[in-house]
Every structure is written in C-alpha cells, then in structure tokens.
Amino acid sequence: MQYCLALADKAQGLGAHIFEDCPISRIEGKGAGRRFSVELVDSRSISAEHVVHCGSAYSHDHPTAGSLMHSMLKMAALPVMTYVMITNPHPQLENALPANHCFTDDRFACAYYRKIGGQLLYGGRVDAFEVSADRLQQVMLDDLLQTFPQLRGISVDVAWSGTMGYFTHKMPFIGRLSENEWASTGFGGHGMCTTSVGGKLIASAIAEGNERIELFKTFFPIPVGGKFARPAIHFMYNWYKARDRLQGSRLRS
C-alpha cells in the first residue's frame, strides 16, 4: 500500500490527475481517429484520446467492469483465486521457522511464509472458484499443517483472498489492442513492481511513440474460452495439486 501511495504521489507531482470512486458504465467511440467517451454511472463523462485497460482479473466478473472489459482480454484472461492468512502466536513457531526470511517452495500450488513478530504470515493455494469465507480459515490451516505439522493447535488471526489474472503463456500483456486502446494486465500475482514498468512502457508509447512496447507482441493473449475456461482451470489445478502431494509422499518415503 505504501508503495502504491508513493507512486500516486509521484505521478501527481508530475502533473497526473487521479480520480477515485468513478465507476464506469460504458466506453464509446472506438475506432480510427475518434476520441473515446468514457461514461460514468452518475451520468458524467470523460473525453479521452487513449484508453488503457489495467483491471486484470478484477474486471472479469465485475457486474459493470466485466461488460466493459475488452472482448479479447475477457476471452483470454484466467481469473485465479489465491489466499493469505496471519496466525496468532504459537509456542513452537520459533523452532519451526527460526530464520527471519521469506520462504517459498517449488510446488505448482506453492506456499510462501514468513514470521511477522510472533505471528506467521502464510499464503498460497490457487483455485478457480473462491473458497467461501466460513471455510477459508480452516482450509488455510489445513494447508499450513502440511508444511508445519509441529504447529498443530495454532489459530488464525485474519485470512483473506485475492484474484490474480493469468494468460496461458503466464506472461503479462503490455501493448496495443487497437488504435489508441491499450492494455497492461495479466501479471499473475507478480505485479508489485512490474505493473509500474508496464505503465511506463505504455506512457512512453503514447507520449513519445516509443516502440519498445512492440517487444511484448510475442505475448499477445490467446483466447481460451472465456467463462468456459474456469471448470477446465479447476480440473487442471486439482491435477497439479494431486501431483504435488504424490511427489511429496515419494520424497518422504
């Protein structure tokens, strides 16, 4: 959050204007040589020469944004749920994880974790469909105990979910969708710094005609079925999880 706010301050210092809480009802005017009319739900509108789509998976199922999402992105983007929790203190935590570093593993459905004071931040897990709020803490605890069985009895302070956007090639798309319409999206949970790079590339292409953005043409999104892709993703991830468990059992035997 601090990084995001710092970027916003820097952008405003350079003359950018940021408007929050401005949900959009529709975008009109797509076509060569025409300005876009970005209409807000309160009947106001913004006239824009360029539109950049940056909503990633959060636009996919949104009742308004979903209908505004570029059709190609909607067919290509794969929304994936992931989860994080922070535990309460546990007497065996220091023995289980003595180092003050962030760790991850090499499973497909990987976990990552680090100590925060006397608590443990534990994240990971991927699902095509969101785990319900009433089950989330127990699901995350079950995953945690597979990694740290010695922490049995530990409890959860807070747990939450997030949505990541993937394309099948697992690379983001930064580039032009049509004339004056752009996208910087699909960072798959790795957008903390790379989204800033995407923004700079698109800004440079719009303002300066810089052609470095053409390097990302190789990773143009591939349509994979839109809403029909989710059941396939669910099956695929469960297969990979089963493979991870099997490999773990072999290593322990």
Side-chain angles (χ1 to χ4, degrees), residues 10-11 17-18 26 29 37-38 62 112 123 132 152 163 198 202 222 250 253:
K10 185 71 173 178
H17 297 278
I18 299 174
R26 60 181 176 175
S37 177
V38 182
H62 191 279
Y112 55 90
S132 61
R152 189 164 301 279
T163 309
I202 289 180
I222 303 168
R250 287 174 177 170
S253 62

Side-chain angles (χ1 to χ4, degrees), residues 242-253:
R243 188 190 68 174
D244 287 339
R245 285 195 294 270
L246 179 61
Q247 290 178 340
S249 298
R250 287 174 177 170
L251 289 172
R252 288 190 292 270
S253 62

Side-chain angles (χ1 to χ4, degrees), residues 30 40 69 112 140 145 165 167:
K30 298 177 183 179
L40 309 182
M69 195 175 182
Y112 55 90
M140 292 299 291
L145 293 175
F167 295 123

Side-chain angles (χ1 to χ4, degrees), residues 78-178:
L78 304 174
V80 177
M81 304 303 303
T82 188
Y83 308 93
V84 187
M85 71 173 177
I86 297 175
T87 71
N88 288 310
H90 188 280
Q92 292 300 315
L93 179 56
E94 188 63 31
N95 292 329
L97 192 64
N100 291 314
H101 305 296
C102 184
F103 296 89
T104 188
D105 56 53
D106 61 356
R107 297 177 298 172
F108 178 83
C110 67
Y112 55 90
Y113 37 87
R114 64 171 300 175
K115 288 188 299 185
I116 302 177
Q119 299 171 283
L120 179 68
L121 182 148
Y122 186 92
R125 190 178 187 86
V126 288
D127 286 295
F129 301 98
E130 186 172 9
V131 174
S132 61
D134 60 326
R135 294 181 53 240
L136 179 55
Q137 291 193 7
Q138 189 58 54
V139 166
M140 292 299 291
L141 277 176
D142 292 344
D143 287 353
L144 168 65
L145 293 175
Q146 290 184 29
T147 308
F148 296 109
Q150 64 269 52
L151 296 182
R152 189 164 301 279
I154 198 169
S155 60
V156 179
D157 181 13
V158 62
W160 65 94
S161 64
T163 309
M164 301 183 296
Y166 278 93
F167 295 123
T168 53
H169 47 52
K170 298 182 181 178
M171 286 290 288
F173 175 63
I174 305 170
R176 187 194 303 267
L177 296 168
S178 59

